Amino acid sequence: MASLISVKEFNDRRRRLMERMAPDSIAILPAAPERVRNRDVLHPFRQDSDFHYLTGFDEPDAVVVLIPGREHGESVLFCKERNPEKELWDGFLAGPEGAIEHFGLDDAFPISDIDDILPGMIEGRSRVYYPLGKDHNFDAKVMDWVKVIRSKVRSGAHPPGEFVALEHLLHDLRLYKSAAEIKVMAKAGEISCEAHKRAMKRARKGGYEYNLEAELIHTFMENGARSTAYPSIVGSGQNACILHYIENSAPLKDGDLVLIDAGCELECYASDITRTFPVSGRFSDQQRALYEVVLAAQYAAIEEVRPGNHWDHPHQAALKVLTQGLIDLGLLKNTTVEQAIEDQAFKPFFMHRTGHWLGMDVHDVGDYKVGDAWRQLEPGMALTVEPGLYVAPDNTDVDEKWRGIGIRIEDDVVVTKEGCRVLTDAVPKTIPEIEALMAD
């Protein structure tokens, strides 16, 4: 599958970052390391999101360096050299030449030469942008390079005087998605929607939660998404009340709901969808009543996703609908919506916020507040909208008929100039739509 993000866009990202860097500075960012799963078996490699965002280069043992104003090229990559014998075992390597030819870097060197070359690039730069503390082994290397420069001060060397967190500049860029990024995220959402629909149909056959998880993974891979964006949650019955349930091993029982929170990752971009549906294909009266409240809360929250509103507007809209629903159904008693929200009486039933930023990480980067104020929503920002209600099986403050019901509905939403666009609306979420799909 050809990449939906062009080499030009990666070049533009590096340029925009360098435009925000202080004069006379350098940025250094290592690739993700390979990680051992067990003994001599490695986990499938997944590139560091920041590194991929700037380069599109998906090999370990690499370092990207940005040096505004460098005569021989501002963007430099250190990476592994081509090695036919190693490539016979482990696959193709781009090498320094490929980094320039295929990934648009200005200059490239073998990673084995980094100790000889990079200190000279750092020397004379007053400020180093670097993600200090993210990789302790690489931190030690950077400090060693600085020590080399400091050891030559009497010979006229100029070590950097300041280290600045690279994330402060880079993550603000990542928060605003380009048209190409939104296209990738929409495709990831499309694949995930199909997976959720197939899992709904599969549930009617009974079996176990992992049978539905298998349906999800099969659909992801069949459509070119080689991995999940996060461990899939398939919680049936009271397991749906466990927010990060990933055991996915319980039997599917008629009369129970199933909550599936799952999404694929495509070209390092995440999708994140939650749907809740009945194993039998038909909602009970209590399930239906709670579900309608959650759905109404999600619609109210999505309505608030538009430029000019701030990050907390969707959450507050959902919270009011959920709290009113809890009062109307008798799960909260002797209170008003305003009082219940002030007292946080809803917390036993709704204990998380209504969404998070979405992008290359499922809980994507970006500040939710600027100073002490909630961040304003702007075109290009992508987020989830995911209200829920969870009645714990041991909650003796409510009638037994409600206990053990967990419901969450989640979609991926992008802020547009006019309002917002829901990327994942192809999977049913109204009760008639769900029941019709499962009866098909």
Side-chain angles (χ1 to χ4, degrees), residues 413-440:
V413 182
V414 175
V415 184
T416 65
K417 291 180 180 179
E418 297 78 22
C420 69
R421 173 188 172 193
V422 180
L423 302 180
T424 51
D425 55 4
V427 56
K429 63 182 175 184
T430 69
I431 288 176
E433 288 173 338
I434 292 171
E435 293 184 340
L437 177 69
M438 296 186 71
D440 187 14

Side-chain angles (χ1 to χ4, degrees), residues 10-24:
F10 288 110
N11 287 336
D12 289 343
R13 292 171 180 178
R14 294 192 293 271
R15 176 183 52 77
R16 290 199 304 273
L17 177 59
M18 285 189 280
E19 287 172 352
R20 288 162 172 76
M21 291 166 57
D24 198 31

Side-chain angles (χ1 to χ4, degrees), residues 221-390:
M221 288 203 171
E222 187 177 49
N223 288 278
R226 295 295 305 277
S227 67
T228 61
Y230 52 95
S232 300
I233 297 169
V234 184
S236 61
Q238 65 185 39
N239 293 334
C241 296
I242 303 171
L243 297 183
H244 289 160
Y245 174 80
I246 57 172
E247 187 175 337
N248 301 351
S249 61
L252 305 174
K253 299 177 182 177
D254 272 352
D256 282 349
L257 293 177
V258 182
L259 185 156
I260 294 182
D261 185 338
C264 71
E265 180 178 276
L266 185 68
E267 296 190 34
C268 285
Y269 286 84
S271 59
D272 187 3
I273 303 173
T274 306
R275 291 293 186 268
T276 311
F277 56 91
V279 173
S280 66
R282 300 286 296 180
F283 288 83
S284 72
D285 290 344
Q286 285 74 37
Q287 293 166 353
R288 181 181 298 267
L290 282 174
Y291 189 95
E292 292 287 14
V293 172
V294 177
L295 183 60
Q298 200 213 25
Y299 284 141
I302 291 173
E303 183 67 24
E304 294 299 309
V305 180
R306 59 179 183 268
N309 278 359
H310 60 58
W311 170 256
D312 200 43
H313 273 120
H315 177 66
Q316 293 301 325
L319 193 56
K320 289 177 184 176
V321 175
L322 293 173
T323 305
Q324 183 66 64
L326 290 169
I327 292 171
D328 292 344
L329 295 175
L331 282 83
L332 290 178
K333 299 175 181 177
N334 303 318
T335 188
T336 63
V337 171
E338 293 75 15
Q339 190 63 49
I341 291 175
E342 182 179 341
D343 297 340
Q344 296 196 326
F346 59 85
K347 272 294 183 75
F349 308 99
F350 181 51
M351 60 292 296
H352 58 80
R353 291 191 61 83
T354 307
H356 52 78
W357 299 130
L358 182 70
M360 300 190 76
D361 299 307
V362 67
H363 292 159
D364 207 31
V365 297
D367 294 330
Y368 293 98
K369 284 188 172 182
V370 178
D372 294 326
W374 290 108
R375 187 159 202 154
Q376 295 289 311
L377 298 176
E378 299 178 63
M381 294 177 172
L383 60 148
T384 65
V385 179
E386 51 176 311
L389 287 175
Y390 316 90

Side-chain angles (χ1 to χ4, degrees), residues 30 33 35 130 133-144:
R35 302 188 187 279
Y130 172 71
K134 189 173 183 179
D135 182 334
H136 297 299
N137 291 329
F138 199 81
D139 287 351
K141 287 186 178 182
V142 173
M143 293 303 105
D144 286 342

Side-chain angles (χ1 to χ4, degrees), residues 162-180:
E162 184 178 10
F163 276 78
V164 179
L166 177 61
E167 300 95 317
H168 179 70
L169 296 180
L170 183 54
H171 290 178
D172 204 57
L173 289 175
R174 281 180 53 188
L175 181 59
Y176 297 88
K177 274 60 179 181
S178 68

Side-chain angles (χ1 to χ4, degrees), residues 151-224:
S151 71
K152 300 177 181 178
V153 168
R154 291 184 180 180
S155 302
H158 296 280
E162 184 178 10
F163 276 78
V164 179
L166 177 61
E167 300 95 317
H168 179 70
L169 296 180
L170 183 54
H171 290 178
D172 204 57
L173 289 175
R174 281 180 53 188
L175 181 59
Y176 297 88
K177 274 60 179 181
S178 68
E181 289 179 286
I182 293 170
K183 188 174 182 179
V184 177
M185 293 176 69
K187 180 63 177 177
E190 178 185 324
I191 294 169
S192 297
C193 285
E194 180 61 25
H196 275 262
K197 288 189 285 188
R198 288 172 64 163
M200 285 182 185
K201 290 185 177 182
R202 174 62 179 81
R204 291 297 306 276
K205 298 180 182 178
Y208 291 81
E209 293 165 344
Y210 55 71
N211 296 131
L212 306 189
E213 183 180 15
E215 196 71 46
L216 295 166
I217 294 171
H218 169 76
T219 309
F220 295 163
M221 288 203 171
E222 187 177 49
N223 288 278

